């Protein structure tokens, strides 16, 4: 049986589905008995949610958009 | 009559324009600054333009452009950043620290309360405190939802390196979230809460 330290170290990889079958089974066995690590797992999900929440576009400032559009036009007309 | 390369380049603007917003947003997340992001997008557009005639698979433009933006970002860092191995506090555990420090003594959802201290701007600021290659892996994985093997392809790194960067990035993220909250006085200390 893995201990809490090993279990916590595997939680994000578990959520990413990057563990092999044995590692996953060991973790799930631990989670079945450890309330603390279940809390850690839920918190890991919440932190991932925090990052995911920031995924929206930040919006290109109008002046930047104009410069980038001009740069694109310049590229198509260039000999690069 | 146009040269073959010119013919291939025709349509580049049409191809890339729908993804400008995405490229810019990714660049802001990587660099943390709008001015740097604009420079990075211009650099990436130039690289994309040069590579466009050789692009055989047009089915996944975002993956291709993500790789170009990320490579351009790494190239900018190459001369200014230290080695990939930064010291990471493996002992720090944010979940336990919140319980031990008890910044929300009257709450029964202290961990959610802690995360709710961070709006998008604060999250971006925290991400900027993380080592760039680790930050890049975190952003690609958890903001944009790329799988580890895709990040390996995007960043031209072995899968094991990506997994290590994700691990170290997560450890740094937890530490930096806590330090940011403390340094910016986002937390109510137990002493203050009890008075």
């Amino acid at each position: 049986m893995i201990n809490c330290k090993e279990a916590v170290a595997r939680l994000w990889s578990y959520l990413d589905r990057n563990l092999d079958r044995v590692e996953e089974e060991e973790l799930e066995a631990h989670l079945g008995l450890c309330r603390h690590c279940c809390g850690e797992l839920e918190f890991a999900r919440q932190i991932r949610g925090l990052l995911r929440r920031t995924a929206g576009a930040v919006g290109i400032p109008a002046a930047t958009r104009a410069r980038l559009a001009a740069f694109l036009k310049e590229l198509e007309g260039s000999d690069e | 009559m146009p040269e073959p390369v010119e013919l291939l380049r025709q349509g580049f603007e049409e191809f890339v324009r729908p993804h400008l917003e995405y490229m810019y947003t990714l660049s802001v997340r990587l660099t943390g600054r709008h001015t740097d992001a604009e420079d990075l997008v211009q650099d990436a557009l130039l690289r994309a333009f040069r590579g466009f005639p050789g692009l055989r698979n047009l089915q996944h433009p975002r993956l291709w452009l993500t790789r170009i933006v990320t490579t351009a970002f790494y190239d900018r860092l190459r001369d200014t950043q230290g080695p990939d191995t930064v010291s990471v506090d493996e002992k720090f555990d944010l979940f336990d620290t919140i319980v031990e420090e008890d910044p929300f003594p009257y709450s029964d959802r202290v961990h959610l309360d802690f995360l709710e201290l961070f709006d998008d701007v604060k999250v971006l600021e925290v991400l900027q405190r993380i080592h760039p290659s680790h930050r890049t892996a975190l952003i690609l994985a958890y903001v944009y939802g790329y799988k580890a093997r895709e990040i390996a392809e995007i960043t031209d790194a072995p899968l094991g390196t990506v997994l290590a960067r994700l691990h170290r990035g997560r450890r740094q993220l937890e530490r930096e979230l806590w330090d940011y909250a403390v340094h910016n006085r986002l937390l109510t200390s137990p002493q203050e809460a009890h008075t």
Side-chain angles (χ1 to χ4, degrees), chain A residues 20-78:
Chain A
D20 65 34
R21 191 180 178 85
V22 172
E23 289 172 327
E24 193 170 296
E25 285 174 0
E26 286 174 342
L27 177 61
E28 287 176 346
H30 180 93
L31 290 171
L33 298 170
C34 182
R35 192 173 168 186
H36 169 268
C37 287
C38 288
E40 289 262 16
L41 179 66
E42 183 55 28
F43 188 48
R45 281 199 183 98
Q46 291 164 354
I47 297 176
R48 292 156 65 97
L50 181 74
L51 294 176
R52 184 69 188 161
R53 205 184 65 202
T54 69
V58 297
I60 307 181
T64 302
R65 185 183 290 279
R67 282 193 294 273
L68 291 175
F71 186 69
L72 270 176
K73 289 277 181 209
E74 194 182 312
L75 277 180
E76 281 217 331
S78 76

Side-chain angles (χ1 to χ4, degrees), chain A residues 16 40 52 54 56 67 80, chain B residues 9 29 38 93 142-143:
Chain A
D16 291 341
E40 289 262 16
R52 184 69 188 161
T54 69
R67 282 193 294 273
E80 273 284 351
Chain B
R9 279 177 175 165
R29 305 224 182 289
E38 183 176 341
D93 184 298
Y142 303 118
V143 177

Side-chain angles (χ1 to χ4, degrees), chain B residues 47 71-83 131-132:
Chain B
R47 291 169 186 234
T71 303
F73 176 61
Y74 276 0
D75 286 350
R76 282 166 175 250
L77 293 171
R78 194 153 291 150
D79 296 332
T80 57
Q81 292 297 322
H131 186 281

